[in-house]
Amino acid sequence: MVTLKRKIYDNLLSWKNKSNGATALMLDGARRVGKSFLCEQFAENEYKSHIIIDFGNAPKDILSLFENDSSNLDLFFAKLSAFYSKPLYKRESVIVFDEVQQFPRARQLIKYLVADGRYDFIETGSLIRLKKNVQNIIIPSEEEHIEMFSLDFEEFLWALGDDTTVPLIKQCFDSKTALGQALHRKIMNDFRQYILVGGMPQAVLEYVKTKEFEAVDAVKRRILKLYRDDVSKFANGYEDKVFAIFDGIPGQLSKKEKKYQLSSISKQARFRSYEDSFVWLNEAMVVNTCFNATDPNIGLALSADYSTQKCYMADTGLLISHAFMDSPYIENELYKAILFDKLSINEGMIMENIAAGMLRMNGHKLYFYSRSDKEHRENHMEIDFLITEKKKIAPIEVKSGNYKSHSSLDKFKKKFSSKLSNSYILYNKDVMIKDGIIHLPIYMAMFL
């Protein structure tokens, strides 16, 4: 039985040691990224005892306990301990509120439970910032937030039994030296597998067990169905609009202009009426939203045009299954195209999507730069991503291996030269510095 090693475990350990009960931990992430499993593993390893309350399926007796007995914490904890048949030890036990967004009352109690100081508390949730999940409660200031994503490339390699490759890649990234043809080819082969499988724990475990993409595709389709069920259940009143945006993502990303065009849904569609739907998908962490920063500077958010955005799937493996959701696995041409490095131009969305995910996992909010000026072509620019680096802006372009030019990047460098640090191109070849631009293999996006 393979147990997936996750880097975020160390973040939980750091919180436990530093907080010493002074705060609760809120673990925020999309469904099926492994929040519940991680918390159970952490509670088993790091505490003398633990109780996990799943608010997605909590019995009425427990909900009643929170509603009626929380004013007397001695009685509250005694009943909790009795119900779950678990002893609780002062400063040696943890209580986990799983899927806490489904019972906001429990989240509001965190303030008092933390002040009591007897036990540690961890909350997990998705959609925890949506109005309907926080209305009528005061958000406790005693919460520390950690975002949890699907497995990154290094964690994927760990699952395959490889813990030596990424440290070597990091050395070459730091020194900006080429890895060499043989090693680069081997890593790109591994990275293509990561793209196809994605990082959802169930999909990775299925791949480790079977090494069959068809079996993995079936797992991913079940996750996508779960996401659709969540839309029906939790996006009451505007679920049709959420479905329309979600189903349109592969088509939007396959275009040369990847900004989300609402006109593809309806000629009458306006951003104002769809704004809540974009927010829902972003809050569910099903997508990675990338906004247009109209005036690039260190505070990218200050000039963000929130009505002009790109929607990437948070997990690229899910995007590949989502793109062919209405067809059987055998007709999904992306598997073959990626494995044999035969991506067409419009399938370049895959590389841009994986780059977005890796930047997001590394702590970046996502921004791009787009300026259209048909009369003055020198002002027409499209930069895939902007990040802050050394208190300056670093533009990033994602290219195919045989790209001919980088005119937008050249124009951007010239126009904003005083604000820029390094400029990067991510592509499928080895490390190279040319024309003052650092060219990195796509898998090095994890270090930016």
Side-chain angles (χ1 to χ4, degrees):
M1 174 72 179
V2 175
T3 300
L4 300 176
K5 182 182 171 187
R6 303 300 303 270
K7 296 176 183 177
I8 198 170
Y9 189 100
D10 291 338
N11 296 72
L12 269 65
L13 198 56
S14 176
W15 160 78
K16 178 181 185 289
N17 294 332
K18 288 180 181 176
S19 168
N20 195 29
T23 59
L25 184 70
M26 168 63 83
L27 198 59
D28 185 11
R31 297 258 267 150
R32 291 292 188 266
V33 295
K35 300 186 299 293
S36 301
F37 180 82
L38 175 73
C39 287
E40 187 169 0
Q41 183 187 44
F42 182 73
E44 286 273 3
N45 294 346
E46 308 298 336
Y47 291 89
K48 190 172 179 180
S49 74
H50 66 275
I51 290 173
I52 297 178
I53 306 170
D54 177 6
F55 285 108
N57 193 30
K60 287 182 180 177
D61 286 347
I62 289 298
L63 301 184
S64 175
L65 185 63
F66 278 85
E67 294 284 5
N68 302 314
D69 293 326
S70 58
S71 59
N72 181 343
L73 291 182
D74 290 338
L75 182 62
F76 175 82
F77 289 128
K79 286 189 173 183
L80 208 56
S81 176
F83 186 91
Y84 287 98
S85 302
K86 291 277 188 79
L88 291 170
Y89 304 96
K90 190 171 182 179
R91 301 302 322 126
E92 294 184 274
S93 296
V94 63
I95 300 173
V96 178
F97 293 174
D98 201 16
E99 300 294 344
V100 74
Q101 79 281 354
Q102 299 207 36
F103 192 63
R105 166 72 179 157
R107 189 177 176 196
Q108 180 164 318
L109 272 181
I110 284 293
K111 177 182 181 66
Y112 307 101
L113 298 174
V114 167
D116 176 73
R118 269 177 264 193
Y119 314 116
D120 281 356
F121 294 89
I122 299 176
E123 305 164 276
T124 79
S126 50
L127 297 167
I128 59 170
R129 287 178 290 264
L130 282 187
K131 286 178 190 171
K132 71 184 289 281
N133 291 333
V134 295
Q135 64 188 6
N136 303 322
I137 71 165
I138 299 169
I139 304 300
S141 58
E142 292 76 10
E143 282 179 350
E144 286 188 41
H145 277 241
I146 298 180
E147 288 183 320
M148 185 172 180
F149 302 97
S150 55
L151 278 77
D152 69 15
F153 183 43
E154 184 171 21
E155 291 170 326
F156 176 77
L157 290 178
W158 287 345
L160 296 179
D162 177 357
D163 57 5
T164 59
T165 294
V166 169
L168 180 58
I169 300 173
K170 181 67 163 66
Q171 286 180 24
C172 293
F173 171 81
D174 289 341
S175 61
K176 303 298 182 285
T177 54
L179 292 93
Q181 192 173 2
L183 182 56
H184 170 68
R185 186 187 302 119
K186 185 248 179 215
I187 296 170
M188 278 303 299
N189 281 334
D190 290 339
F191 191 70
R192 289 189 187 98
Q193 293 173 63
Y194 173 59
I195 290 172
L196 292 171
V197 174
M200 301 305 279
Q202 290 172 322
V204 174
L205 287 170
E206 186 66 30
Y207 186 64
V208 171
K209 184 172 77 173
T210 66
K211 289 295 194 293
E212 294 177 2
F213 289 117
E214 185 168 7
V216 172
D217 194 70
V219 171
K220 292 188 291 174
R221 284 168 182 256
R222 287 197 294 272
I223 295 171
L224 288 166
K225 184 182 182 304
L226 175 72
Y227 285 177
R228 298 183 73 83
D229 291 345
D230 281 350
V231 173
S232 299
K233 189 174 178 181
F234 299 116
N236 294 337
Y238 54 100
E239 57 267 42
D240 289 347
K241 290 179 178 177
V242 178
F243 280 134
I245 292 168
F246 184 61
D247 291 340
I249 289 172
Q252 296 286 338
L253 292 179
S254 66
K255 297 173 183 174
K256 188 172 187 295
E257 287 276 339
K258 293 179 172 58
K259 294 188 289 290
Y260 206 106
Q261 302 291 333
L262 284 173
S263 57
S264 65
I265 297 173
S266 163
K267 287 183 178 176
Q268 284 75 43
R270 295 293 178 266
F271 177 74
R272 187 184 303 166
S273 62
Y274 279 82
E275 186 173 7
D276 286 347
S277 305
F278 282 108
V279 170
W280 194 96
L281 287 166
N282 193 51
E283 290 294 340
M285 295 177 72
V286 170
V287 303
N288 287 323
T289 309
C290 187
F291 298 108
N292 185 17
T294 57
D295 181 21
N297 56 61
I298 296 172
L300 289 166
L302 296 175
S303 69
D305 175 6
Y306 291 100
S307 64
T308 310
Q309 57 184 278
K310 297 188 282 189
C311 264
Y312 299 102
M313 287 285 285
D315 185 84
T316 303
L318 290 182
L319 172 63
I320 286 164
S321 296
H322 187 38
F324 285 82
M325 197 64 182
D326 297 329
S327 309
Y329 162 80
I330 200 72
E331 293 178 20
N332 192 332
E333 299 158 7
L334 287 174
Y335 281 92
K336 192 187 300 180
I338 291 167
L339 275 177
F340 293 96
D341 195 18
K342 301 289 185 187
L343 283 176
S344 63
I345 293 298
N346 65 332
E347 290 164 345
M349 67 168 180
I350 301 298
M351 291 305 177
E352 200 169 312
N353 198 90
I354 195 83
M358 294 171 91
L359 291 171
R360 187 75 184 82
M361 287 176 182
N362 212 18
H364 296 288
K365 301 292 184 185
L366 299 182
Y367 298 95
F368 68 102
Y369 181 78
S370 177
R371 181 173 178 184
S372 182
D373 190 337
K374 292 177 182 176
E375 294 182 10
H376 301 92
R377 293 295 298 173
E378 68 275 9
N379 293 327
H380 186 87
M381 286 175 257
E382 188 84 30
I383 304 296
D384 295 329
F385 301 105
L386 301 175
I387 61 173
T388 53
E389 181 184 77
K390 301 171 187 170
K391 298 186 178 179
K392 290 197 168 186
I393 300 297
I396 301 170
E397 285 270 68
V398 182
K399 299 283 190 183
S400 65
N402 300 313
Y403 76 94
K404 299 291 190 290
S405 66
H406 38 74
S407 58
S408 278
L409 193 52
D410 291 339
K411 286 188 277 190
F412 188 85
K413 285 178 65 183
K414 184 177 179 181
K415 183 174 178 63
F416 298 106
S417 58
S418 64
K419 300 180 179 181
L420 302 188
S421 62
N422 293 312
S423 299
Y424 297 99
I425 284 177
L426 297 171
Y427 67 157
N428 59 6
K429 294 186 177 179
D430 206 343
V431 178
M432 173 180 71
I433 298 178
K434 184 181 178 184
D435 302 328
I437 297 168
I438 301 171
H439 295 61
L440 298 174
I442 183 77
Y443 49 78
M444 283 191 182
M446 66 194 299
F447 302 125
L448 291 177

